[in-house]
Amino acid sequence: MNINPSESTAELAQAVCQKFQIDTDLEDGSNSNQILSAIAQLICQSIDLNTILNFTVKELRRLLLSDRVLIYHLDSGDSGTIVAESTIAAGSPLLGMKITDSCFSEKHAERYKRGCMQIVEDIYAAGLHPYQIDFLSSLQVRANLVVPIIFQQDLWGLLIAQHCCEPRQWLQTEIDLLKQLATQISIAIQQSELRQQVQHLQIERKLPQSDKLVRNITEKIRDSIEIDHVLETAIAELAKVLQVEHCHIELYDTSYTVATIAHEYSTIPSVYQAMKRQVADFPKLYQPLLQKQLLQFSEVLRDWNPNLVIVTQLACPIFDAETVMGNIWLTKVTQEAFAESEIKLVQQVANQCAIAIRQAKLYQLAQTQVNQLEKLDNLKHEFLRSLSHELRTPITSISLAVQTLETVIKQETALDADIVSQLLQILQNECQRESKLINDLLSLTYLEAEAEVLTVIVIDLNSWLPPIVESFREVTTCQQQQLFLHLAGKLPPLETDITDLERIVTELLSNACKYTPAGESITVTASATEETVEIRVSNSGVTIDAGELARIFDPFYRLPQHHPSQYGGTGLGLALVQKLAKHLKASIRVETTAVSTTFTLVLPRAIAV
């Protein structure tokens, strides 16, 4: 491992830091993505390992606001060396210190090797061995977070964050970040090992012009983060180095059932009839490859003339510590086997390809996370904007009513009882609307946090549902709507939370009454199967565009053709219905036709609590 970075690599690392603009003041989690992306970029640029390790501990300590972050490299047995450190703790730095820890037994090493971590919020309250407490306190450590660095399925070392002044509760996001950084460090170690191996291969000079051609492969791979370009470069340069007629890379699908040729380089017509192969159809080929074993064999093929020719094929698996990703295949028109030095070169290129593929996946994952954070942030701002508007509307009406009432009272003439009564009614209605909005928001909050406990009882829908539907009879009559209830035979008993179920049915009926035109009908239907009960609320004369269905349960969402001032309500009714249905382990869906709209609630006949 190189522990003296050159000035050029240090400058390049600094440039990468400036590019990603890592800032510890960020609060939305994107700083974690930035440090991961920055390290990935350093690896792609083939920066020496020591620079990457120093960059990691420095930026991680700033991000965590901890007193010390260090990387401990296990040398042998129970001894090791601190190879990177960033600290603001009092006392002498620990960088370069040789540490022999008798507490670091084979048992502890095996636990770290399996990926276990040590999370200590207070060394005096964590049940540690007295020797370990003394050892940590001598280093001024009060809280300790240790994540293993695994390289080629062995324990390479430890990534450690420490708090020296006082105990500290480590957050899950901080733990996850250290785990991701440990993975990146493992990739950097592998990159460093590969560079050293390639340099050693260059020194051997067993292949004609191998020094120049191998350097071209590694440089082109490191200089691009475009995975397609990396893989195309790898097979093209490899084919030229080994002077083979055909070379291609195939990648597995996630279930390892299909191997697809992703990139191909050939100076002859392809010897493969299909771009995809079913793995199960070629067990003798793919069983050893999936076990990370090389394959080399000769076979007789019919060439493009067509004549029978003997070709030698070499298949090298592309894999890392996590999984097998695919294979590099080489074909040369000769019976001569690939030499040991040639096989070693192919393995190096396969390892480089594995790094490139893993880096591409990590980059894609980071981009997906950033996009999700941006989407959530936009949803949050939209929700707050809608909430502010909905809260302001009743307040505005109340304010206008109060001002009008004040003007009427100040007039010297006798008070008009009708006007005063109307103003008081406005105040009462808007206060009730504001109160309902706040209560609905609280209900949504409790349901989102799953703080509400279900109170399950057995109810008889045959006697329970009719009174609830009938309570809307007067409203539908006044609005010239028709109200119907259909029970499909004798319904079985239902185990559920009666409060939540009544709220759902009431909200669906209120929604139907609000939007059903005069002269149209509202129909409530209940039916049952062996495992579920379905309650449907359908209203005629109302249709919803297909594009609007996906947003119908969003808070404060209203159909474009329906102005909120015309229909009233808080805009949270259907959002509450969806949350309450989930709370009842039920589902709610909406369907629309050219003449009607139907909401269907599907309940389990019994809830396991």
Side-chain angles (χ1 to χ4, degrees), residues 32-52:
S32 300
N33 292 332
Q34 289 179 352
I35 186 175
L36 290 169
S37 298
I39 293 174
Q41 182 71 17
L42 290 176
I43 295 174
C44 287
Q45 295 292 341
S46 196
I47 302 300
D48 69 278
L49 180 60
N50 188 67
T51 300
I52 294 174

Side-chain angles (χ1 to χ4, degrees), residues 537-602:
V537 178
S538 178
N539 53 334
S540 64
V542 178
T543 60
I544 304 175
D545 293 339
E548 307 295 334
L549 288 177
R551 301 189 59 190
I552 199 69
F553 294 105
D554 290 352
F556 302 119
Y557 181 73
R558 293 184 174 89
L559 298 176
Q561 66 268 33
H562 296 150
H563 195 275
S565 62
Q566 180 182 357
Y567 297 95
T570 64
L572 295 174
L574 292 180
L576 269 174
V577 165
Q578 187 181 56
K579 293 294 183 182
L580 288 166
K582 181 180 178 182
H583 195 229
L584 292 179
K585 310 297 189 295
S587 64
I588 182 75
R589 66 176 184 270
V590 58
E591 300 166 308
T592 187
T593 67
V595 295
S596 66
T597 295
T598 302
F599 288 85
T600 302
L601 176 68
V602 182

Side-chain angles (χ1 to χ4, degrees), residues 343-494:
I343 293 174
K344 186 181 293 186
L345 174 61
V346 176
Q347 289 175 319
Q348 303 305 316
V349 175
N351 289 335
Q352 292 279 37
C353 291
I355 293 174
I357 294 171
R358 179 62 60 193
Q359 286 298 114
K361 290 182 177 180
L362 289 173
Y363 179 77
Q364 184 178 12
L365 178 60
Q367 289 298 113
T368 301
Q369 291 173 343
V370 169
N371 293 337
Q372 289 176 344
L373 288 172
E374 290 178 353
K375 183 178 179 180
L376 290 174
D377 191 55
N378 292 335
L379 289 174
K380 179 189 71 174
H381 287 304
E382 179 63 23
F383 177 79
L384 291 176
R385 186 192 66 78
S386 300
L387 177 60
S388 300
H389 173 75
E390 295 294 336
L391 287 171
R392 189 186 302 116
T393 300
I395 296 298
T396 301
S397 299
I398 292 172
S399 177
L400 290 174
V402 169
Q403 293 176 19
T404 305
L405 185 60
E406 183 181 10
T407 301
V408 172
I409 292 174
K410 287 182 178 180
Q411 291 177 352
E412 297 180 357
T413 58
L415 294 177
D416 189 325
D418 290 339
I419 294 178
V420 172
S421 177
Q422 293 175 8
L423 292 173
L424 291 175
Q425 186 63 47
I426 291 173
L427 290 172
Q428 182 179 6
N429 292 342
E430 295 303 320
C431 286
Q432 290 176 351
R433 180 180 175 187
E434 190 83 3
S435 177
K436 187 176 187 306
L437 177 59
I438 293 172
N439 288 334
D440 287 350
L441 284 170
L442 290 174
S443 297
L444 276 175
T445 302
Y446 290 139
L447 290 168
E448 190 71 36
E450 298 184 355
E452 291 286 343
V453 179
L454 285 173
T455 303
V456 178
I457 64 172
V458 180
I459 63 173
D460 178 14
L461 283 176
N462 301 280
S463 58
W464 178 83
L465 189 55
I468 294 179
V469 176
E470 196 62 31
S471 66
F472 286 84
R473 180 72 62 185
E474 183 178 350
V475 175
T476 56
T477 300
C478 292
Q479 297 180 169
Q480 300 179 16
Q481 299 161 338
Q482 301 178 64
L483 180 62
F484 301 101
L485 171 63
H486 296 303
L487 300 177
K490 181 68 175 177
L491 297 174
L494 175 65

Side-chain angles (χ1 to χ4, degrees), residues 286-302:
Y286 288 105
Q287 283 180 1
L289 290 173
L290 287 171
Q291 295 174 3
K292 305 177 182 178
Q293 299 175 10
L294 279 164
L295 276 182
Q296 181 172 196
F297 57 92
S298 296
E299 63 178 341
V300 178
L301 296 178
R302 189 174 299 277

Side-chain angles (χ1 to χ4, degrees), residues 526-545:
S527 60
T529 66
E530 292 184 359
E531 297 181 352
T532 63
V533 170
E534 291 190 2
I535 299 177
R536 291 179 292 276
V537 178
S538 178
N539 53 334
S540 64
V542 178
T543 60
I544 304 175
D545 293 339

Side-chain angles (χ1 to χ4, degrees), residues 319-338:
F319 64 92
D320 61 8
E322 295 185 25
T323 185
V324 180
M325 304 168 184
N327 308 295
I328 296 179
W329 286 84
L330 296 101
T331 303
K332 58 181 179 179
V333 185
T334 176
Q335 194 174 356
E336 181 182 352
F338 285 88

